[in-house]
Amino acid sequence: MSALAGIIFGAVYVEHWNYRRIQKNEETGTRNKILVLINNDFNRKLRFIDESIQYKDYKPFFTDIWDAVILSGKQTLLPFEMIENLQHTYSWLKYYNTELQQKTVANNENTLRDVLGEVKKSINNSLNFLKNE
């Protein structure tokens, strides 16, 4: 009876261990895909900023990548410091969008260029943070 109990316990333990291993591998893969997606999004945003300044064509940013990460609940796969850093950067993007909506002729270009400079600085900071992780 003891041997049978040991076999059953061992089988359940191995099954649970294998399930957790598979789950951990899936989470690692998902985390890596999220980081690649965010990294690519930031690089596209940097090109967008450079083009906006070059052509003086100020358009809003899309923050759909970060919104999708938040709505899916996958941000919990990332370390807290990284979430905090990324949220700060996406907040700057949303602040720029708000400034763009409220623009007037008087504060149009100088204000938008200043805010874009801060956005660019924040994006570069986040890219360096992602590179170091």
Side-chain angles (χ1 to χ4, degrees):
M1 224 21 137
S2 296
L4 183 59
I7 291 171
I8 292 172
F9 178 77
V12 169
Y13 177 78
V14 168
E15 184 178 340
H16 186 284
W17 173 79
N18 191 36
Y19 173 76
R20 298 268 299 161
R21 185 181 58 81
I22 290 170
Q23 185 179 22
K24 186 176 180 181
N25 288 341
E26 287 176 0
E27 287 176 355
T28 302
T30 302
R31 181 181 321 116
N32 291 339
K33 289 176 185 176
I34 288 171
L35 293 176
V36 167
L37 186 66
I38 290 172
N39 193 19
N40 290 341
D41 185 44
F42 282 159
N43 286 320
R44 282 191 302 267
K45 299 249 188 288
L46 286 175
R47 283 194 303 272
F48 182 81
I49 290 170
D50 291 339
E51 290 172 2
S52 293
I53 292 172
Q54 180 182 359
Y55 299 117
K56 297 180 182 177
D57 183 25
Y58 302 104
K59 295 178 184 171
F61 288 111
F62 294 111
T63 59
D64 53 340
I65 299 294
W66 184 245
D67 295 339
V69 169
I70 295 296
L71 290 174
S72 68
K74 299 297 184 184
Q75 78 276 9
T76 58
L77 298 175
L78 304 173
F80 177 75
E81 295 80 17
M82 186 179 293
I83 295 170
E84 192 174 43
N85 183 284
L86 295 174
Q87 182 60 43
H88 177 74
T89 299
Y90 278 100
S91 293
W92 268 109
L93 296 174
K94 291 179 181 184
Y95 176 71
Y96 168 78
N97 288 346
T98 303
E99 285 293 322
L100 191 61
Q101 287 175 348
Q102 298 174 356
K103 73 177 182 177
T104 61
V105 177
N107 72 353
N108 184 0
E109 194 170 331
N110 290 334
T111 302
L112 293 178
R113 195 177 305 136
D114 291 343
V115 173
L116 278 177
E118 291 297 324
V119 169
K120 189 173 184 176
K121 194 183 318 179
S122 183
I123 289 174
N124 284 326
N125 184 18
S126 290
L127 284 173
N128 287 335
F129 188 85
L130 290 173
K131 191 184 293 185
N132 293 334
E133 283 294 316

